[in-house]
Amino acid sequence: MSDCVFCKIATRQIESYIIEESENFLAFLDIHPHAPGHTLLIPKNHFKNLSELPENLGEEFVKIAKKTAFLLSKAFKTEHFTIGINQGSLAGQTIDHLHIHFLPRFPNDKGGSIHSVVYNKPEEDLSAIYQKILKVKNES
Ligand code: 5GP
Ligand code: ZN
């Protein structure tokens, strides 16, 4: 997409600190790091979110995700990471090009776990929630 920052990073129209690359993916440092080594992994083509990512890229995606984590763990001497996607504006997605955040974690880094991102306690019990999902599954 012509006005997408991450498409421009993928095509080198915008500079970035690229740490790893494969045929269809690129990992580069986030310009406003929330942790040392904060990295974004993107598909080079413009897919808005995980749902749009073609399944045949799955193996390549897992491979580069593992390599990204490996490089960061060695460079920053930590085995601890928060890895996640802000999918959709309500979840905080600001750039509509799929990107996975890799945040190396350190002792006393003042961060929380994924549980601290949201606590919107459901009113329904787990069984009702499960039935809703099963209904969709059975109809699809
Ligand atoms: P989101 O909130 O959409 O999950 O995260 C978007 C991320 O992209 C932010 O963490 C932001 O710092 C990063 N970002 C935005 N523009 C640029 C850029 O031009 N270069 C790099 N390297 N990162 C960017
Ligand atoms: Zn894009």
Side-chain angles (χ1 to χ4, degrees):
M1 256 174 78
S2 58
D3 60 345
C4 171
V5 174
F6 289 171
C7 283
K8 287 181 179 163
I9 285 177
T11 55
R12 287 10 185 221
Q13 293 169 72
I14 292 179
E15 278 186 20
S16 68
Y17 290 99
I18 294 169
I19 66 163
E20 185 60 310
E21 181 170 16
S22 65
E23 187 185 347
N24 293 292
F25 294 92
L26 195 69
F28 56 94
L29 296 180
D30 193 297
I31 203 165
H32 299 303
H34 277 242
H38 182 178
T39 292
L40 301 173
L41 173 60
I42 62 165
K44 289 181 181 173
N45 290 323
H46 188 91
F47 302 113
K48 191 172 66 180
N49 55 36
L50 199 57
S51 310
E52 287 190 359
L53 188 71
E55 286 184 13
N56 67 344
L57 297 184
E59 198 175 324
E60 188 185 334
F61 170 66
V62 170
K63 202 169 168 194
I64 192 166
K66 288 174 69 164
K67 183 71 184 294
T68 299
F70 171 79
L71 293 172
L72 295 174
S73 71
K74 294 295 173 202
F76 296 96
K77 300 186 176 20
T78 181
E79 300 291 324
H80 304 254
F81 288 88
T82 296
I83 299 170
I85 299 170
N86 295 323
Q87 179 150 311
S89 58
L90 295 181
Q93 185 172 10
T94 58
I95 297 180
D96 278 342
H97 179 135
L98 173 63
H99 50 285
I100 297 88
H101 292 262
F102 286 73
L103 291 145
R105 300 299 302 267
F106 301 94
N108 306 315
D109 66 7
K110 301 192 184 77
S113 77
I114 282 178
H115 299 96
S116 62
V117 171
V118 65
Y119 193 62
N120 177 20
K121 198 173 182 308
E123 284 169 13
E124 296 165 299
D125 62 17
L126 278 189
S127 160
I129 288 167
Y130 183 57
Q131 290 309 320
K132 262 188 192 167
I133 297 165
L134 277 192
K135 189 165 178 289
V136 173
K137 196 173 169 186
N138 293 333
E139 286 168 3
S140 60

